[in-house]
Amino acid sequence: RLWDLQGHCLQVFKGHNGWIYSANFSPNGKTILTASLDKTARLWDLEGNCLQVLGHEAGVNSVSFSPDGKMILTGSRDNTARLWDLQGNVLQIFKGHKYRVISISFSPDGKTILTGSDDGTARLWDLQGNCLQIFKGHKSSVTSAVFSPDGKTILTGSDDKTVRLWDLQGNCLQIFKGFKDWVTSVSFLP
């Protein structure tokens, strides 16, 4: 659902046949991406019209637009992330995780992506599908993985109740402990 700040529902997006795990606005605010257990991600206009259906072999956990809004990234329970153009064409499939891809994000410059997985790792990739770095150290699923605003470090959150700060070479710079339960989302101050 699309809401205004006064709590009024402006639009209902209908079409998925399963739980919706993620929704994001495009950088220009004119389209929306959704991810669903029904094995699809969908691109919508603000009027609720489905513009594209992007398919995986299993449920889609997360979706993101590239910083310039020209590409879409999806992460799935089929253990892959996929890069798409806005016409629904697959540009690249990122394979290497042993279990589902839970978290995905673009670097601020849009030249690399980050994936987090149930296999306890995060991976840094170039847009051609080459794994540039594997971030190992969590004892359970990496549920959230994001770039810092300057793109020089990353932050990962995990079901192991920790958050880790990393440099791009895979070195853990800091471990944040003290959480009483899973860490499901992390972010940097802009």
Side-chain angles (χ1 to χ4, degrees):
R1 293 178 186 249
L2 179 65
W3 305 83
D4 67 17
L5 296 180
Q6 291 72 44
H8 303 104
C9 182
L10 303 175
Q11 191 58 251
V12 178
F13 300 87
K14 296 181 181 179
H16 281 296
N17 295 312
W19 293 354
I20 296 173
Y21 284 115
S22 179
N24 281 309
F25 281 100
S26 61
N28 66 9
K30 295 183 179 179
T31 55
I32 295 172
L33 273 174
T34 55
S36 174
L37 188 59
D38 69 5
K39 304 179 185 179
T40 69
R42 293 177 185 240
L43 179 64
W44 310 83
D45 65 19
L46 298 183
E47 289 74 46
N49 300 304
C50 183
L51 306 174
Q52 294 295 335
V53 178
L54 314 171
H56 275 267
E57 282 82 47
V60 180
N61 294 313
S62 53
V63 290
S64 182
F65 283 97
S66 61
D68 64 6
K70 294 180 180 178
M71 293 180 290
I72 294 168
L73 185 61
T74 57
S76 172
R77 292 175 175 228
D78 66 10
N79 308 345
T80 70
R82 296 181 188 208
L83 185 65
W84 311 78
D85 64 20
L86 297 181
Q87 292 70 45
N89 301 304
V90 176
L91 304 174
Q92 192 57 248
I93 299 176
F94 303 88
K95 296 180 180 180
H97 285 292
K98 295 177 186 172
Y99 300 104
R100 65 185 175 166
V101 176
I102 301 172
S103 176
I104 46 99
S105 64
F106 278 96
S107 61
D109 64 7
K111 294 180 180 177
T112 56
I113 66 160
L114 190 58
T115 57
S117 172
D118 268 346
D119 65 12
T121 68
R123 292 176 185 240
L124 179 67
W125 310 81
D126 65 20
L127 298 185
Q128 292 71 45
N130 301 305
C131 183
L132 305 175
Q133 190 58 250
I134 300 175
F135 302 88
K136 295 180 182 178
H138 284 293
K139 295 179 175 82
S140 190
S141 301
V142 174
T143 55
S144 185
V146 297
F147 286 93
S148 61
D150 65 6
K152 294 181 180 177
T153 57
I154 67 164
L155 201 59
T156 56
S158 173
D159 285 354
D160 69 7
K161 303 177 188 175
T162 68
V163 171
R164 292 177 183 244
L165 179 68
W166 310 81
D167 65 21
L168 297 183
Q169 292 71 45
N171 301 304
C172 183
L173 305 174
Q174 183 68 46
I175 301 174
F176 303 92
K177 299 178 181 179
F179 299 96
K180 294 183 180 180
D181 211 336
W182 302 343
V183 178
T184 58
S185 182
V186 295
S187 77
F188 283 92
L189 185 66

